[in-house]
Amino acid sequence: MLDTRPRFDQLPNAAGIGYKPQHFQELLDDPGAVEWVEVHAENYMGDGGRPLAQLQALSETFAISIHGVGLSIGGQQPLDKAHLNRLKRLCDRIKPASFSEHLAWSTHGAEFMNDLLPLPYTAETLTLVSDHINQVQDTLGRQMLLENPSSYLAFVESTFSEADFLSEVTHKTACGLLLDVNNVFISSTNLDLSPQSYIDAYPTDCVGEIHVGGHDEDEDDFGAPLLIDSHAKPVVDPVWSLLTYALAQTGPKPVLVEWDNDIPPWPTLRDEAKRAAMALAG
């Protein structure tokens, strides 16, 4: 029987890491600067077993953030109620300090695509996304943070900038925002925009969490830089610099290092968390 007593009511303004089971014991024994951990909700929706037992054990020491990747907030069809109910059950069990999801879609009819796909920023999309966020927040009984996407194209139909669209969503739903600095850097590079200008326009007063991560470098068909959000490498120096720029606007916030593929040894990830803590310390 899982202990359902509340643990941490909010994330600390400190470094966190995306938790991976192979790091379980080393994380407990030698956390370094890590004060909170984030998990992907869909990996913990079972009725029991080792994953939930480890997550419960971690909640004794660390604040927990649950990060959804499968709700398809921007999908045209209604939210999957069975999936949403499983998510509620997980949140009721773990009582995380934070829950977040993506400004993206991943469903079409009965098909689920293992990608976070982009949206046009229009009045119609704004209503759709806001209605879905309100449904999530009403079901979970908690505020949701919405993460900005990594973009590889822009829609001619868009009538809002991404920052203005996110601002409108927060006004319609009272949700918070997860500012993914790596995604800002990727999108700005791919679309030939200024990442600093993006941060300047972003509704930073709504930020409840910040992400950084690694990306892959490629070229498009015309030889221009093309960055891919891979979460498989260390954070690059320009993203660390952009984090510092963002923190100057937001003030101290929980900062997560994401590393989801080609998982490194624990000391490597611990060192990345230390660098996030140094950015927070100024």
Side-chain angles (χ1 to χ4, degrees):
M1 187 82 170
L2 286 172
D3 181 355
T4 57
R5 291 174 297 174
R7 301 298 181 192
F8 298 91
D9 292 333
Q10 60 185 20
L11 297 178
N13 295 331
I17 53 98
Y19 169 67
K20 295 295 177 285
Q22 55 264 54
H23 295 149
F24 176 70
Q25 196 59 53
E26 290 174 296
L27 171 60
L28 288 174
D29 292 344
D30 184 18
V34 175
E35 295 188 28
W36 61 282
V37 300
E38 188 162 275
V39 298
H40 289 169
E42 287 73 14
N43 293 332
Y44 295 87
M45 287 184 171
D47 291 329
R50 179 177 290 181
L52 278 171
Q54 287 188 343
L55 185 56
Q56 186 70 22
L58 290 172
S59 73
E60 302 277 353
T61 302
F62 304 99
I64 303 296
S65 172
I66 291 180
H67 192 46
V69 296
L71 276 177
S72 193
I73 291 291
Q76 284 289 326
Q77 63 200 57
L79 296 181
D80 184 331
K81 289 186 178 180
H83 186 98
L84 187 53
N85 287 335
R86 287 193 295 271
L87 177 60
K88 174 176 170 53
R89 186 179 181 189
L90 173 63
C91 288
D92 288 348
R93 282 176 164 179
I94 300 300
K95 301 191 184 315
S98 179
F99 170 73
S100 55
E101 248 284 0
H102 299 81
L103 178 59
W105 63 278
S106 53
T107 52
H108 182 69
E111 299 299 320
F112 180 84
M113 291 155 278
N114 193 27
D115 289 292
L116 297 168
L117 300 168
L119 296 161
Y121 298 135
T122 64
E124 180 182 7
T125 306
L126 176 61
T127 298
L128 176 73
V129 168
S130 298
D131 287 348
H132 284 170
I133 291 173
N134 283 327
Q135 182 182 355
V136 172
Q137 293 183 142
D138 289 346
T139 300
L140 299 185
R142 61 170 59 239
Q143 185 189 49
M144 188 190 98
L145 305 182
L146 183 65
E147 178 181 344
N148 56 290
S150 54
S151 296
Y152 307 94
L153 52 81
F155 290 89
V156 295
E157 297 92 341
S158 291
T159 55
F160 296 89
S161 69
E162 185 169 285
D164 286 345
F165 185 88
L166 288 166
S167 181
E168 289 296 319
V169 170
T170 65
H171 291 153
K172 285 180 171 291
T173 67
C175 76
L177 296 176
L178 192 168
L179 173 58
D180 191 311
V181 172
N182 185 54
N183 286 356
V184 172
F185 185 77
I186 287 171
S187 298
S188 298
T189 300
N190 291 343
L191 303 180
D192 195 23
L193 303 172
S194 162
Q196 290 80 14
S197 295
Y198 180 101
I199 299 295
D200 291 342
Y202 193 88
T204 51
D205 56 327
C206 297
V207 173
E209 183 180 329
I210 295 176
H211 281 188
V212 292
H215 57 256
D216 289 333
E217 299 181 3
D218 205 339
E219 291 184 352
D220 65 17
D221 291 342
F222 302 98
L226 178 66
L227 304 185
I228 309 296
D229 188 26
S230 64
H231 296 179
K233 293 181 177 180
V235 181
V236 298
D237 286 342
V239 172
W240 286 121
S241 296
L242 189 60
L243 171 63
T244 298
Y245 188 89
L247 288 170
Q249 314 297 322
T250 65
K253 295 291 178 181
V255 176
L256 182 89
V257 176
E258 293 186 287
W259 200 320
D260 296 321
N261 299 296
D262 298 334
I263 307 300
W266 172 245
T268 301
L269 188 55
R270 183 192 60 207
D271 288 348
E272 290 284 277
K274 180 180 177 180
R275 192 161 181 183
M278 292 171 60
L280 279 163

mmCIF file of all heavy atoms in Angstrom, residues 2-8 39 44 51-53 55-57 59 64-66 88-97 142:
data_model
loop_
_atom_site.group_PDB
_atom_site.id
_atom_site.type_symbol
_atom_site.label_atom_id
_atom_site.label_comp_id
_atom_site.label_asym_id
_atom_site.label_seq_id
_atom_site.Cartn_x
_atom_site.Cartn_y
_atom_site.Cartn_z
ATOM 1 N N LEU A 2 0.673 2.116 -0.967
ATOM 2 C CA LEU A 2 1.488 3.313 -1.039
ATOM 3 C C LEU A 2 1.079 4.314 0.029
ATOM 4 O O LEU A 2 -0.101 4.516 0.306
ATOM 5 C CB LEU A 2 1.350 3.964 -2.414
ATOM 6 C CG LEU A 2 2.072 3.265 -3.554
ATOM 7 C CD1 LEU A 2 1.689 3.920 -4.865
ATOM 8 C CD2 LEU A 2 3.565 3.309 -3.356
ATOM 9 N N ASP A 3 2.066 4.936 0.640
ATOM 10 C CA ASP A 3 1.838 5.993 1.611
ATOM 11 C C ASP A 3 1.404 7.245 0.846
ATOM 12 O O ASP A 3 2.105 7.712 -0.047
ATOM 13 C CB ASP A 3 3.142 6.256 2.372
ATOM 14 C CG ASP A 3 2.999 7.325 3.439
ATOM 15 O OD1 ASP A 3 1.925 7.956 3.557
ATOM 16 O OD2 ASP A 3 3.977 7.525 4.157
ATOM 17 N N THR A 4 0.221 7.786 1.178
ATOM 18 C CA THR A 4 -0.297 8.929 0.444
ATOM 19 C C THR A 4 -0.144 10.241 1.215
ATOM 20 O O THR A 4 -0.771 11.240 0.874
ATOM 21 C CB THR A 4 -1.781 8.718 0.101
ATOM 22 O OG1 THR A 4 -2.525 8.499 1.323
ATOM 23 C CG2 THR A 4 -1.962 7.519 -0.816
ATOM 24 N N ARG A 5 0.665 10.275 2.239
ATOM 25 C CA ARG A 5 0.892 11.538 2.942
ATOM 26 C C ARG A 5 1.602 12.531 2.012
ATOM 27 O O ARG A 5 2.480 12.162 1.256
ATOM 28 C CB ARG A 5 1.773 11.307 4.177
ATOM 29 C CG ARG A 5 1.094 10.512 5.276
ATOM 30 C CD ARG A 5 2.085 10.227 6.379
ATOM 31 N NE ARG A 5 3.183 9.391 5.879
ATOM 32 C CZ ARG A 5 4.257 9.093 6.610
ATOM 33 N NH1 ARG A 5 4.395 9.579 7.832
ATOM 34 N NH2 ARG A 5 5.199 8.321 6.097
ATOM 35 N N PRO A 6 1.197 13.804 2.102
ATOM 36 C CA PRO A 6 1.877 14.798 1.258
ATOM 37 C C PRO A 6 3.334 14.936 1.623
ATOM 38 O O PRO A 6 3.725 14.800 2.774
ATOM 39 C CB PRO A 6 1.102 16.092 1.545
ATOM 40 C CG PRO A 6 0.330 15.843 2.788
ATOM 41 C CD PRO A 6 0.150 14.379 2.920
ATOM 42 N N ARG A 7 4.176 15.212 0.648
ATOM 43 C CA ARG A 7 5.613 15.354 0.854
ATOM 44 C C ARG A 7 6.016 16.819 0.741
ATOM 45 O O ARG A 7 6.055 17.526 1.713
ATOM 46 C CB ARG A 7 6.369 14.507 -0.176
ATOM 47 C CG ARG A 7 6.029 13.013 -0.108
ATOM 48 C CD ARG A 7 6.389 12.399 1.213
ATOM 49 N NE ARG A 7 6.079 10.977 1.236
ATOM 50 C CZ ARG A 7 6.071 10.237 2.342
ATOM 51 N NH1 ARG A 7 6.343 10.788 3.505
ATOM 52 N NH2 ARG A 7 5.779 8.956 2.289
ATOM 53 N N PHE A 8 6.250 17.266 -0.459
ATOM 54 C CA PHE A 8 6.692 18.634 -0.700
ATOM 55 C C PHE A 8 5.585 19.386 -1.429
ATOM 56 O O PHE A 8 5.076 18.928 -2.438
ATOM 57 C CB PHE A 8 7.975 18.646 -1.526
ATOM 58 C CG PHE A 8 9.140 17.974 -0.842
ATOM 59 C CD1 PHE A 8 9.398 16.625 -1.023
ATOM 60 C CD2 PHE A 8 9.987 18.707 -0.014
ATOM 61 C CE1 PHE A 8 10.478 16.007 -0.404
ATOM 62 C CE2 PHE A 8 11.073 18.105 0.613
ATOM 63 C CZ PHE A 8 11.308 16.754 0.419
ATOM 64 N N VAL A 39 9.673 13.120 -13.304
ATOM 65 C CA VAL A 39 9.438 11.854 -13.995
ATOM 66 C C VAL A 39 8.369 12.055 -15.051
ATOM 67 O O VAL A 39 7.516 12.944 -14.944
ATOM 68 C CB VAL A 39 8.998 10.743 -13.011
ATOM 69 C CG1 VAL A 39 10.087 10.471 -11.985
ATOM 70 C CG2 VAL A 39 7.671 11.078 -12.334
ATOM 71 N N TYR A 44 4.682 5.723 -15.020
ATOM 72 C CA TYR A 44 4.324 5.415 -13.633
ATOM 73 C C TYR A 44 2.824 5.247 -13.456
ATOM 74 O O TYR A 44 2.297 5.439 -12.371
ATOM 75 C CB TYR A 44 4.855 6.530 -12.710
ATOM 76 C CG TYR A 44 6.358 6.578 -12.695
ATOM 77 C CD1 TYR A 44 7.060 7.319 -13.642
ATOM 78 C CD2 TYR A 44 7.098 5.838 -11.774
ATOM 79 C CE1 TYR A 44 8.439 7.342 -13.657
ATOM 80 C CE2 TYR A 44 8.478 5.851 -11.790
ATOM 81 C CZ TYR A 44 9.142 6.600 -12.739
ATOM 82 O OH TYR A 44 10.519 6.600 -12.758
ATOM 83 N N PRO A 51 8.723 0.620 -10.303
ATOM 84 C CA PRO A 51 8.737 2.048 -10.623
ATOM 85 C C PRO A 51 8.047 2.910 -9.567
ATOM 86 O O PRO A 51 8.597 3.915 -9.108
ATOM 87 C CB PRO A 51 8.015 2.108 -11.971
ATOM 88 C CG PRO A 51 8.274 0.778 -12.589
ATOM 89 C CD PRO A 51 8.231 -0.195 -11.448
ATOM 90 N N LEU A 52 6.830 2.534 -9.168
ATOM 91 C CA LEU A 52 6.116 3.323 -8.170
ATOM 92 C C LEU A 52 6.782 3.243 -6.799
ATOM 93 O O LEU A 52 6.811 4.233 -6.055
ATOM 94 C CB LEU A 52 4.663 2.870 -8.076
ATOM 95 C CG LEU A 52 3.724 3.450 -9.135
ATOM 96 C CD1 LEU A 52 2.372 2.773 -9.076
ATOM 97 C CD2 LEU A 52 3.570 4.948 -8.952
ATOM 98 N N ALA A 53 7.331 2.085 -6.468
ATOM 99 C CA ALA A 53 8.026 1.947 -5.182
ATOM 100 C C ALA A 53 9.254 2.855 -5.139
ATOM 101 O O ALA A 53 9.520 3.507 -4.113
ATOM 102 C CB ALA A 53 8.423 0.501 -4.952
ATOM 103 N N LEU A 55 9.691 5.615 -6.935
ATOM 104 C CA LEU A 55 9.229 6.992 -6.918
ATOM 105 C C LEU A 55 8.766 7.396 -5.517
ATOM 106 O O LEU A 55 9.058 8.501 -5.046
ATOM 107 C CB LEU A 55 8.092 7.165 -7.928
ATOM 108 C CG LEU A 55 7.561 8.583 -8.127
ATOM 109 C CD1 LEU A 55 8.669 9.547 -8.525
ATOM 110 C CD2 LEU A 55 6.448 8.582 -9.176
ATOM 111 N N GLN A 56 8.067 6.497 -4.839
ATOM 112 C CA GLN A 56 7.646 6.788 -3.472
ATOM 113 C C GLN A 56 8.860 6.981 -2.563
ATOM 114 O O GLN A 56 8.876 7.879 -1.716
ATOM 115 C CB GLN A 56 6.775 5.646 -2.955
ATOM 116 C CG GLN A 56 6.164 5.892 -1.584
ATOM 117 C CD GLN A 56 5.095 6.968 -1.614
ATOM 118 O OE1 GLN A 56 4.521 7.244 -2.674
ATOM 119 N NE2 GLN A 56 4.837 7.585 -0.477
ATOM 120 N N ALA A 57 9.884 6.141 -2.737
ATOM 121 C CA ALA A 57 11.098 6.284 -1.927
ATOM 122 C C ALA A 57 11.784 7.612 -2.203
ATOM 123 O O ALA A 57 12.256 8.288 -1.276
ATOM 124 C CB ALA A 57 12.048 5.120 -2.207
ATOM 125 N N SER A 59 10.375 10.318 -3.078
ATOM 126 C CA SER A 59 9.565 11.406 -2.534
ATOM 127 C C SER A 59 9.828 11.645 -1.052
ATOM 128 O O SER A 59 9.411 12.669 -0.511
ATOM 129 C CB SER A 59 8.076 11.125 -2.758
ATOM 130 O OG SER A 59 7.595 10.111 -1.894
ATOM 131 N N ILE A 64 8.935 16.199 -5.992
ATOM 132 C CA ILE A 64 8.659 15.462 -7.221
ATOM 133 C C ILE A 64 7.853 16.332 -8.184
ATOM 134 O O ILE A 64 6.858 16.959 -7.798
ATOM 135 C CB ILE A 64 7.858 14.172 -6.938
ATOM 136 C CG1 ILE A 64 8.596 13.272 -5.933
ATOM 137 C CG2 ILE A 64 7.575 13.416 -8.230
ATOM 138 C CD1 ILE A 64 9.910 12.738 -6.414
ATOM 139 N N SER A 65 8.287 16.355 -9.437
ATOM 140 C CA SER A 65 7.529 16.964 -10.521
ATOM 141 C C SER A 65 7.104 15.857 -11.482
ATOM 142 O O SER A 65 7.920 15.015 -11.868
ATOM 143 C CB SER A 65 8.387 17.995 -11.258
ATOM 144 O OG SER A 65 7.730 18.464 -12.416
ATOM 145 N N ILE A 66 5.835 15.843 -11.845
ATOM 146 C CA ILE A 66 5.327 14.885 -12.825
ATOM 147 C C ILE A 66 5.107 15.617 -14.139
ATOM 148 O O ILE A 66 4.414 16.640 -14.191
ATOM 149 C CB ILE A 66 4.030 14.217 -12.335
ATOM 150 C CG1 ILE A 66 4.338 13.292 -11.147
ATOM 151 C CG2 ILE A 66 3.367 13.439 -13.465
ATOM 152 C CD1 ILE A 66 3.134 12.579 -10.581
ATOM 153 N N LYS A 88 -4.708 11.273 -12.978
ATOM 154 C CA LYS A 88 -5.233 11.730 -11.689
ATOM 155 C C LYS A 88 -4.887 10.738 -10.581
ATOM 156 O O LYS A 88 -4.503 11.139 -9.469
ATOM 157 C CB LYS A 88 -6.744 11.916 -11.769
ATOM 158 C CG LYS A 88 -7.380 12.261 -10.415
ATOM 159 C CD LYS A 88 -8.853 12.530 -10.538
ATOM 160 C CE LYS A 88 -9.509 12.636 -9.162
ATOM 161 N NZ LYS A 88 -8.831 13.605 -8.266
ATOM 162 N N ARG A 89 -5.026 9.477 -10.888
ATOM 163 C CA ARG A 89 -4.712 8.461 -9.877
ATOM 164 C C ARG A 89 -3.246 8.547 -9.460
ATOM 165 O O ARG A 89 -2.918 8.452 -8.275
ATOM 166 C CB ARG A 89 -5.021 7.065 -10.434
ATOM 167 C CG ARG A 89 -4.860 5.944 -9.417
ATOM 168 C CD ARG A 89 -5.217 4.615 -10.038
ATOM 169 N NE ARG A 89 -5.085 3.532 -9.078
ATOM 170 C CZ ARG A 89 -5.157 2.251 -9.384
ATOM 171 N NH1 ARG A 89 -5.377 1.893 -10.644
ATOM 172 N NH2 ARG A 89 -5.028 1.326 -8.456
ATOM 173 N N LEU A 90 -2.356 8.751 -10.432
ATOM 174 C CA LEU A 90 -0.936 8.882 -10.117
ATOM 175 C C LEU A 90 -0.689 10.121 -9.255
ATOM 176 O O LEU A 90 0.034 10.051 -8.246
ATOM 177 C CB LEU A 90 -0.124 8.971 -11.415
ATOM 178 C CG LEU A 90 1.367 9.270 -11.269
ATOM 179 C CD1 LEU A 90 2.068 8.149 -10.504
ATOM 180 C CD2 LEU A 90 2.010 9.478 -12.641
ATOM 181 N N CYS A 91 -1.262 11.242 -9.631
ATOM 182 C CA CYS A 91 -1.057 12.472 -8.858
ATOM 183 C C CYS A 91 -1.637 12.345 -7.452
ATOM 184 O O CYS A 91 -1.052 12.852 -6.481
ATOM 185 C CB CYS A 91 -1.671 13.660 -9.590
ATOM 186 S SG CYS A 91 -0.761 14.176 -11.071
ATOM 187 N N ASP A 92 -2.781 11.679 -7.324
ATOM 188 C CA ASP A 92 -3.359 11.471 -5.995
ATOM 189 C C ASP A 92 -2.466 10.591 -5.133
ATOM 190 O O ASP A 92 -2.381 10.775 -3.915
ATOM 191 C CB ASP A 92 -4.749 10.844 -6.116
ATOM 192 C CG ASP A 92 -5.802 11.824 -6.645
ATOM 193 O OD1 ASP A 92 -5.504 13.032 -6.692
ATOM 194 O OD2 ASP A 92 -6.899 11.362 -7.013
ATOM 195 N N ARG A 93 -1.786 9.642 -5.744
ATOM 196 C CA ARG A 93 -0.890 8.752 -4.995
ATOM 197 C C ARG A 93 0.375 9.475 -4.549
ATOM 198 O O ARG A 93 0.784 9.400 -3.397
ATOM 199 C CB ARG A 93 -0.480 7.560 -5.866
ATOM 200 C CG ARG A 93 -1.503 6.465 -6.010
ATOM 201 C CD ARG A 93 -0.994 5.415 -6.985
ATOM 202 N NE ARG A 93 -1.751 4.174 -6.884
ATOM 203 C CZ ARG A 93 -1.538 3.110 -7.623
ATOM 204 N NH1 ARG A 93 -0.582 3.136 -8.552
ATOM 205 N NH2 ARG A 93 -2.248 2.016 -7.469
ATOM 206 N N ILE A 94 1.015 10.164 -5.501
ATOM 207 C CA ILE A 94 2.338 10.729 -5.241
ATOM 208 C C ILE A 94 2.256 12.139 -4.648
ATOM 209 O O ILE A 94 3.169 12.568 -3.947
ATOM 210 C CB ILE A 94 3.164 10.743 -6.556
ATOM 211 C CG1 ILE A 94 3.320 9.306 -7.082
ATOM 212 C CG2 ILE A 94 4.539 11.383 -6.343
ATOM 213 C CD1 ILE A 94 4.024 8.362 -6.122
ATOM 214 N N LYS A 95 1.180 12.853 -4.937
ATOM 215 C CA LYS A 95 1.028 14.247 -4.503
ATOM 216 C C LYS A 95 2.262 15.071 -4.897
ATOM 217 O O LYS A 95 2.981 15.597 -4.050
ATOM 218 C CB LYS A 95 0.767 14.325 -2.999
ATOM 219 C CG LYS A 95 -0.483 13.583 -2.547
ATOM 220 C CD LYS A 95 -0.843 13.895 -1.131
ATOM 221 C CE LYS A 95 -2.024 13.092 -0.630
ATOM 222 N NZ LYS A 95 -3.153 12.994 -1.543
ATOM 223 N N PRO A 96 2.513 15.185 -6.200
ATOM 224 C CA PRO A 96 3.716 15.890 -6.655
ATOM 225 C C PRO A 96 3.649 17.379 -6.335
ATOM 226 O O PRO A 96 2.562 17.959 -6.170
ATOM 227 C CB PRO A 96 3.705 15.653 -8.166
ATOM 228 C CG PRO A 96 2.252 15.517 -8.503
ATOM 229 C CD PRO A 96 1.659 14.768 -7.340
ATOM 230 N N ALA A 97 4.803 17.994 -6.289
ATOM 231 C CA ALA A 97 4.866 19.437 -6.087
ATOM 232 C C ALA A 97 4.464 20.190 -7.343
ATOM 233 O O ALA A 97 4.097 21.367 -7.269
ATOM 234 C CB ALA A 97 6.277 19.841 -5.669
ATOM 235 N N ARG A 142 -5.600 20.644 -9.544
ATOM 236 C CA ARG A 142 -4.322 21.335 -9.346
ATOM 237 C C ARG A 142 -3.984 22.141 -10.598
ATOM 238 O O ARG A 142 -4.496 21.877 -11.690
ATOM 239 C CB ARG A 142 -3.192 20.352 -9.062
ATOM 240 C CG ARG A 142 -2.939 19.352 -10.181
ATOM 241 C CD ARG A 142 -1.655 18.542 -9.961
ATOM 242 N NE ARG A 142 -1.678 17.805 -8.724
ATOM 243 C CZ ARG A 142 -0.780 17.954 -7.743
ATOM 244 N NH1 ARG A 142 0.206 18.836 -7.891
ATOM 245 N NH2 ARG A 142 -0.844 17.235 -6.654
#
